[in-house]
Amino acid sequence: MNSSLFAQSDLHSTMSPFNQTTDSHQTFTLTGIPGMPEKDLWMALPLCLLYSTTFLGNVIILVVIKVEQSLHEPMYYFLAMLAATDLSLSLSSMPTMISVHWFNWHSITLDACITQMFFIHTFGGVESGVLVAMAFDRFVAIRFPLRYATIVTHGVIGKIGAIVLLRSVGAVLPVPFLIKRLPFCHSNILSHAYCLHQDAMRLACADTRVNSIYGLLAVIFIIVLDALILLISYFLILQAVLGIASREQRLKALNTCFSHVCAVLLFYVPLIGMTLIHHFGKHLSPIVHTLMANVYLLLPPVLNPVVYSVRTKQIRQRIVRVFCGDRIGP
């Protein structure tokens, strides 16, 4: 789930090409980047590259972890969860992003829009939860190395995955019903090439306080709570690392956390930037708001597999082994 549940910029007043109402209140109009041609190579090619890289990178991670017995360990199971979540999040936004920027199709039905926002917010929440689970895994591995295998068992991993998924689904599940009950009798122009809760909510011609309050509570329950848990986790991890006598072992322990720290930064830095721009950058061009939202949604799924492939020796070696066989050493 992302903070756009309650914090999205109000761009519709600046998008003159689409400033029109519709007789049908069951459709919305998606928009791309304001002031730029929609069906254009400037957006079509980068989008193709982004989605192709996301799909290829995350599928490779999943395949390598599945086929390599040596990677059937808790750390890599959590990495597989992250890759599956990134893949699902990208696939949630891809149909409308492609339709707007490649085919110049802007119309989306209310039901399709609600379905898309449910999946985008759900997988955003799952990603946040998986990052917390990975922090827990690193803490146990560093703080209790001798008991690690007995604490983080396959059963525990399965339960953590189920809790993360059910928590996000449970938090987002009321959103479609809250949107569905609203009448839409004014503008039907959305601010992005995909559907988000707050973006659709602002178009309603009814009291939306319930939606706003619930969206805020959901974000606090997932994003804010997870951020606090991550901060506490890394405080405890640093405490544990400083308690290690050997300097070499301390560096080795910190190195195992580096990829995870990158993944956390990739998730939270664009999120914080988008929130700050919404609250303090209302004077900025609508293009800035749109680009920040797109960076938050598209960048982590692209870069996470790259970071883990480059920074994690075991993953890098197994990728080479799976795709090059024994022609290159282990």
Side-chain angles (χ1 to χ4, degrees), residues 218-232:
V219 168
I220 291 172
F221 177 61
I222 296 214
I223 300 298
V224 176
L225 180 61
D226 286 355
L228 291 174
I229 294 173
L230 284 167
L231 287 173
I232 293 170

Side-chain angles (χ1 to χ4, degrees), residues 37-215:
E38 307 296 348
K39 191 176 181 181
D40 189 82
L41 289 178
W42 192 91
M43 280 302 299
L45 291 180
L47 270 179
C48 181
L49 181 62
L50 280 172
Y51 281 114
S52 299
T53 305
T54 298
F55 182 80
L56 186 62
N58 287 291
V59 167
I60 287 175
I61 293 286
L62 290 169
V63 169
V64 167
I65 291 174
K66 179 176 175 57
V67 302
E68 281 292 327
Q69 291 291 327
S70 61
L71 298 181
H72 291 183
E73 298 177 5
M75 174 182 175
Y76 302 109
Y77 287 139
F78 287 121
L79 176 57
M81 290 183 193
L82 183 65
T85 303
D86 282 337
L87 193 59
S88 301
L89 184 59
S90 292
L91 291 175
S92 298
S93 66
M94 184 177 68
T96 53
M97 290 284 281
I98 295 298
S99 70
V100 168
H101 294 291
W102 275 63
F103 303 107
N104 206 27
W105 297 340
H106 294 271
S107 182
I108 184 171
T109 65
L110 176 61
D111 289 338
C113 186
I114 288 174
T115 301
Q116 184 182 51
M117 77 172 67
F118 172 78
F119 283 112
I120 288 177
H121 291 307
T122 295
F123 287 121
V126 170
E127 176 139 356
S128 180
V130 170
L131 291 173
V132 170
M134 296 173 83
F136 165 75
D137 172 72
R138 289 300 82 210
F139 169 70
V140 175
I142 293 171
R143 181 67 178 83
F144 308 106
L146 298 180
R147 297 169 52 197
Y148 175 65
T150 59
I151 295 175
V152 190
T153 62
H154 288 168
V156 169
I157 295 169
K159 289 175 183 176
I160 290 174
I163 290 171
V164 167
L165 179 60
L166 290 175
R167 181 190 68 154
S168 188
V169 170
V172 180
L173 191 58
V175 169
F177 300 101
L178 291 173
I179 285 290
K180 189 75 173 177
R181 71 185 179 88
L182 296 174
F184 296 95
C185 52
H186 299 311
S187 172
N188 68 333
I189 311 301
L190 296 173
S191 302
H192 304 291
Y194 41 82
C195 294
L196 300 171
H197 172 243
Q198 178 67 15
D199 201 16
M201 181 188 73
R202 68 179 175 79
L203 300 179
C205 49
D207 189 350
T208 59
R209 280 178 295 181
V210 173
N211 292 64
S212 297
I213 292 171
Y214 184 80

Side-chain angles (χ1 to χ4, degrees), residues 134-136 138-140 142 232-242 253-254 257:
M134 296 173 83
F136 165 75
R138 289 300 82 210
F139 169 70
V140 175
I142 293 171
I232 293 170
S233 298
Y234 269 96
F235 174 77
L236 295 175
I237 287 172
L238 285 174
Q239 265 193 335
V241 168
L242 293 175
L254 287 174
C257 299

